[in-house]
Amino acid sequence: PLDDSSNNSAVSIFSIEEESGGLAGHNFRPNPVSGRFAEAMFCVNMEVDADLSVEILNLEGESISRAKLGYGYGVPLDPGYSCFMCGDIFPGTDRLASGVYLYRISLFLLDGTREEYRGRFAVAN
């Protein structure tokens, strides 16, 4: 028995509860992007139905382009893994200069809440 004073064994029981977010993963493919940025892919792994906005920024924080995905924006985005051609969703970004770029995702869940995610990718021309 565990409460026996002669029992020298240790028992550790724990659980980690984590709130499930709406987004399981996100990335640009390939990373680094080589060649035309328009031919790269932006991929998301959605856990729930939601709309999202993805903003690309340079290292100074200036906005380069923004994509809007989801039924609310007319671009179906179902739960699961989806990839989109950057040229189709980021207007005016056929080519990006070599360097590191940041991106910010705003996820709009159906219950009215908003989640934010951040990431970065590189361009090597």
Side-chain angles (χ1 to χ4, degrees):
L2 293 176
D3 60 354
D4 182 357
S5 62
S6 64
N7 184 351
N8 292 329
S9 66
V11 175
S12 178
I13 299 173
F14 67 93
S15 67
I16 298 174
E17 284 191 30
E18 186 174 313
E19 278 190 45
S20 177
L23 195 56
H26 49 88
N27 62 8
F28 280 88
R29 293 175 51 190
N31 191 5
V33 174
S34 58
R36 293 180 55 220
F37 179 73
E39 295 173 356
M41 304 286 278
F42 175 72
C43 301
V44 291
N45 190 358
M46 302 292 296
E47 293 184 339
V48 296
D49 283 324
D51 292 331
L52 64 86
S53 171
V54 185
E55 184 176 21
I56 298 175
L57 309 144
N58 64 20
L59 289 177
E60 288 77 36
E62 298 168 334
S63 181
I64 304 295
S65 187
R66 179 174 290 169
K68 295 185 181 287
L69 303 169
Y71 287 99
Y73 300 117
V75 181
L77 184 61
D78 295 319
Y81 192 74
S82 301
C83 290
F84 301 89
M85 293 290 294
C86 290
D88 293 340
I89 62 172
F90 294 106
T93 56
D94 182 50
R95 289 199 174 272
L96 292 179
S98 293
V100 175
Y101 293 85
L102 309 172
Y103 64 95
R104 177 177 44 221
I105 299 172
S106 296
L107 189 69
F108 304 98
L109 301 169
L110 297 180
D111 66 2
T113 60
R114 178 180 170 187
E115 297 177 1
E116 290 218 357
Y117 301 85
R118 300 187 190 299
R120 65 179 173 236
F121 67 95
V123 174
N125 292 323

